[in-house]
Amino acid sequence: LTVASPMAELPSGAAFGTLVHAALERLDWSEQRLASDAARIATELGTRSGFSPAQCRTLAASLEALCRTPLAPLTEATLSELGTAARLAELDFDLPLADQGRPATVGELTSLMAQHLDRDDPLAEYPSRLAATEAADGVLNGFLTGSIDAVLRVPGGGFLVVDYKTNNLSPSPEVPQILGHYTPDAMAEAMMQAHYPLQALLYCAALHRYLGLRLRGYDPHRHLGG
């Protein structure tokens, strides 16, 4: 698609990603409050970051569009339909590694990932890529500390890991950002280059342990939504 991205007029980079993260953490995305709260937060945070009034309006409109987009394929629900009562924001965790048995290596983890990824999965190449890095010999031991941007409870009782990303997939700063840059292959490539699949796996492991402790009758096949 050659249509300009709704956020093409906004800055990119780590500072912008932090701004969007802060906006989504504070946003009441329930349908009744979404428009007014998005406008308020976008104006407040955008002005603080030097945005023009037009850029603040673009940010507010983009937040609205995001919250009204189905979270497919994991669920057809939108953030607005789920509401903030179904959101647990900033779930901090200390994930013990090698607490049972000998420590494994990153390379052994990639072998497990390869076994469970279908050949046609967009991230099917990731295990071999990770195995070819210097990290493959790293030992998984000690404690891994992190924070999940949000955990969502979806209809049917499942729980999803959410991590906010604002990657600009334009091939160069000189090329205007368009929706056509955000193809499944391009997004998968950006995820693999940044090791987001490993992050997602670790976050899901943390959520799995959390639900096992807190949810009566926990069954990962039914409750761990991805």
Side-chain angles (χ1 to χ4, degrees):
L1 294 174
T2 56
V3 178
S5 166
M7 303 179 82
E9 302 171 12
L10 300 176
S12 60
F16 178 66
T18 300
L19 184 153
V20 172
H21 180 284
L24 289 169
E25 183 181 349
R26 294 168 51 183
L27 180 64
D28 183 345
W29 57 46
S30 60
E31 190 58 49
Q32 299 83 355
R33 296 287 304 280
L34 175 58
S36 61
D37 216 42
R40 178 184 62 82
I41 291 175
T43 299
E44 178 185 334
L45 297 182
T47 301
R48 191 183 303 167
S49 298
F51 286 15
S52 68
Q55 287 178 315
C56 291
R57 290 192 294 271
T58 297
L59 176 59
S62 298
L63 291 172
E64 285 191 60
L66 183 155
C67 293
R68 293 191 174 110
T69 299
L71 301 172
L74 298 183
T75 176
E76 289 301 317
T78 68
L79 293 177
S80 287
E81 290 169 344
L82 295 176
T84 52
R87 172 182 67 184
L88 176 60
E90 297 299 323
L91 176 61
D92 297 328
F93 64 85
D94 293 303
L95 184 65
L97 305 175
D99 53 328
Q100 298 179 16
R102 71 168 182 84
T105 65
V106 174
E108 289 173 317
L109 178 61
T110 64
S111 297
L112 282 175
M113 294 170 67
Q115 290 177 32
H116 292 279
L117 277 174
D118 294 333
R119 291 184 178 180
D120 58 351
D121 191 286
L123 303 173
E125 294 181 13
Y126 182 68
S128 61
R129 288 196 188 190
L130 181 58
T133 68
E134 295 179 355
D137 294 328
V139 177
L140 300 171
N141 204 357
F143 276 87
L144 176 71
T145 298
S147 180
I148 302 174
D149 288 348
V151 174
L152 300 178
R153 184 179 67 246
V154 296
F159 295 83
L160 308 180
V161 166
V162 175
D163 195 73
Y164 306 129
K165 304 297 185 188
T166 56
N167 295 56
N168 184 341
L169 299 190
S170 176
S172 72
E174 294 75 30
V175 178
Q177 190 181 172
I178 59 173
L179 294 179
H181 294 146
Y182 292 82
T183 64
D185 288 344
M187 289 190 287
E189 180 61 31
M191 291 178 68
M192 290 187 286
Q193 287 183 8
H195 294 289
Y196 292 159
L198 178 59
Q199 180 187 19
L201 179 64
L202 294 172
Y203 282 10
C204 284
L207 178 60
H208 166 68
R209 295 196 183 188
Y210 177 80
L211 292 175
L213 292 171
R214 300 294 297 271
L215 187 64
R216 181 176 298 178
Y218 171 63
D219 177 0
H221 298 288
R222 183 161 60 96
H223 295 116
L224 191 63

